[in-house]
Amino acid sequence: MCPSCLARAYAYARHQLTGDHLNVNLQDSAIVQQFLQHCSLSEEEKVLLLELEQNPIKASAGDIIWQENSKVDQFCTISQGWAYSFRNLGDGSRQILKVYLPGDIIGMRDFAFSNRLAGVAMIEDGVVSPFSHEHLLRIFRSSTALTAGLFAIVCRQQAMLTERLINLARRTAQQRLAHFLYEMYLRLERIGAVNNGRFRLPLSQEQLGDVLGLSAVHVSRTFTAFREEGLVLRDRHRVALLDPEALAQLSEFDGTYLNDAVPALFFDREWQSHMLAGTPIKNEEMVPVKSPSAQAD
Amino acid sequence: MCPSCLARAYAYARHQLTGDHLNVNLQDSAIVQQFLQHCSLSEEEKVLLLELEQNPIKASAGDIIWQENSKVDQFCTISQGWAYSFRNLGDGSRQILKVYLPGDIIGMRDFAFSNRLAGVAMIEDGVVSPFSHEHLLRIFRSSTALTAGLFAIVCRQQAMLTERLINLARRTAQQRLAHFLYEMYLRLERIGAVNNGRFRLPLSQEQLGDVLGLSAVHVSRTFTAFREEGLVLRDRHRVALLDPEALAQLSEFDGTYLNDAVPALFFDREWQSHMLAGTPIKNEEMVPVKSPSAQAD
DNA sequence: CGCAATGTTGAACTGGGTCAATTCTCGTGG
DNA sequence: CCACGAGAATTGACCCAGTTCAACATTGCG
């Protein structure tokens, strides 16, 4: 059983035992896992993170975790199930901004605001753990490593958003769907939820349309096209990517934004204490590149 | 002369005097201004911020500040001129991700990566000040207020990106252009660069197309339509919004993401020291809202 | 002055949307 | 166990916003 499967099994078990707190193996929370992808953590830091998940609660498919424009009082992590954030538009349509999987932190974008910019809803039954603004600030004060880790996570989210933006702005329906499927494939693979290119995708075609900026009708047509081209099979909520690399290529997928590691330097503790000692900081000089012909090509 | 004009005048003057360092009035840097929108700063914190701008260098229109995929070694602030970040796509087209104005910090998204996700280029002549990764980490360690401020700025960027995403995914050409113009109008107003609805917009129509996900041809047509409807006049690089509110309404502009203040609580120093004293943190319970009919409407 | 970049206008094309009819799926209750 | 009904997916016909291509006008700069 791989570590990520273990983590998920553990998360489930922990949910069962109500009232368990921090006397647990600190390795196994989905959040801790997420941070460990970025940096190493002291026990103390793990405790700080685990405290984020002290109040797990169940939520059912379709539940609204919070509404657009509601007051920002807390954030949450998701330890089971899928969720998404969305905005309702004037013409009655809806844009899904991001799909959340277990281990993700939800709502950090709202940190800087007093009202929510987007609602969040459960796609299927699951477990979320709310935590407060104050908790986040406490992390800022307690640990530079965690702060940098949080910062990195937000940056990464921004990168994903950027990628999605380019998709919606510039690419065809086939490319958009291919990109989305491939991204899900990679994200799910990391948490051990892919088997030979096959995985569960609990989104309706209408929801997919809302993710991709397409009509549900055209999502259907695009799946049909993929089936006829032998790229993707789909049955209800299960999909099989027959040729993941072809999808990646079709959609010009650049995995950097998911995989590229944070430069180790920034989490090297020795280096940090060196810095703390007050060694002066020297910026290297930056020389702008003159573009060949006055204007960028 | 308004404070923001003063700040710009100052920035220019400072650029002239090479070699001046921190023995200056700490109020006047564009960055400090930006932070002051979010929180109050101690003198010490202002110094930390001003150090970001120790190495101003000139850059000319069309200069590439850094290329896509180049190594991430530093970030920079922009104190004069406009810039944009962009991605080149496989089909030869290009997406402009964000337009930067004086006072903005450029490239923070790349914090979590070893290679750049996007290039940055100058739209017109200006001044940028590179600073290093290490400097950012030093800020994390030195000041919770600045850290939270940086975090807030990144969150805000994410909010702008989200807004842009919705625009590109869901709205018509007129809405996209109206939204962009109105956003620029607000951002420029804050730095004192708008006069009675009129401002300079140094982007070519091709660049506008790259921002808006439209062809340059259609940008031209859309401007024509706005002129005929008496909404916007444009002459070369100057535009006049004849009825800004009509544009805001047309594009369903929600200014929250630009204006909404960070809840004061998070920058209240007394409260912070209270927290430092170790008062226990209690999460309020969160109750998911059951949607009316099993599924979200 | 002349050339290159930028902007404008028209004509024809097309990807994806909309609407509507039909089928499929599955949960429910008789 | 089956019949029913509601939501989800499919398919076809038609439409339109925005693209592409091409010709032309304007601007500005060396």
Side-chain angles (χ1 to χ4, degrees), chain A residues 233-283:
Chain A
L233 296 182
R234 182 184 47 84
D235 177 61
R236 211 53 198 155
H237 283 163
R238 299 213 47 99
V239 293
L241 310 190
L242 301 182
D243 186 351
E245 296 319 312
L247 290 181
Q249 198 173 354
L250 171 61
S251 60
E252 300 177 42
F253 194 96
D254 175 4
T256 316
Y257 76 96
L258 281 174
N259 296 322
D260 188 7
V262 181
L265 174 64
F266 306 114
F267 298 101
D268 173 348
R269 276 149 202 296
E270 292 206 21
W271 175 83
Q272 284 186 18
S273 35
H274 168 69
M275 291 303 295
L276 272 169
T279 315
I281 288 174
K282 201 165 53 182
N283 285 320

Side-chain angles (χ1 to χ4, degrees), chain B residues 171-174 176 213-215 217-218 221 236 295:
Chain B
R171 304 216 241 247
T172 65
Q174 287 208 15
R176 293 186 207 188
L214 297 171
S215 64
V217 172
H218 207 248
R221 289 193 228 274
R236 213 49 199 155
Q295 199 63 3

Side-chain angles (χ1 to χ4, degrees), chain A residues 133-246:
Chain A
H133 251 118
E134 295 89 59
H135 204 131
L136 205 54
L137 280 167
R138 201 158 71 130
I139 288 179
F140 287 162
R141 267 192 311 280
S142 310
S143 160
T144 303
L146 285 183
T147 301
L150 274 171
F151 206 81
I153 286 174
V154 175
C155 289
R156 225 159 255 263
Q157 280 179 15
Q158 203 172 324
M160 292 180 60
L161 210 51
T162 299
E163 203 59 38
R164 189 185 296 300
L165 181 140
I166 290 171
N167 248 316
L168 295 182
R170 293 291 180 182
R171 306 216 240 247
T172 66
Q174 287 209 16
Q175 288 181 300
R176 294 186 206 188
L177 182 55
H179 193 279
F180 177 76
L181 290 174
Y182 192 76
E183 180 184 317
M184 281 299 146
Y185 168 70
L186 291 185
R187 286 176 69 192
L188 289 167
E189 205 169 37
R190 281 212 287 202
I191 60 172
V194 176
N195 175 359
N196 192 27
R198 313 181 90 259
F199 56 88
R200 210 168 56 84
L201 183 74
L203 292 158
S204 70
Q205 296 198 354
E206 184 166 0
Q207 288 168 330
L208 282 170
D210 290 343
V211 171
L212 301 173
L214 297 171
S215 65
V217 173
H218 207 249
V219 171
S220 173
R221 289 194 229 273
T222 309
F223 266 121
T224 304
F226 278 163
R227 175 164 32 79
E228 285 169 358
E229 294 167 24
L231 285 173
V232 178
L233 296 182
R234 182 184 47 84
D235 177 61
R236 211 53 198 155
H237 283 163
R238 299 213 47 99
V239 293
L241 310 190
L242 301 182
D243 186 351
E245 296 319 312

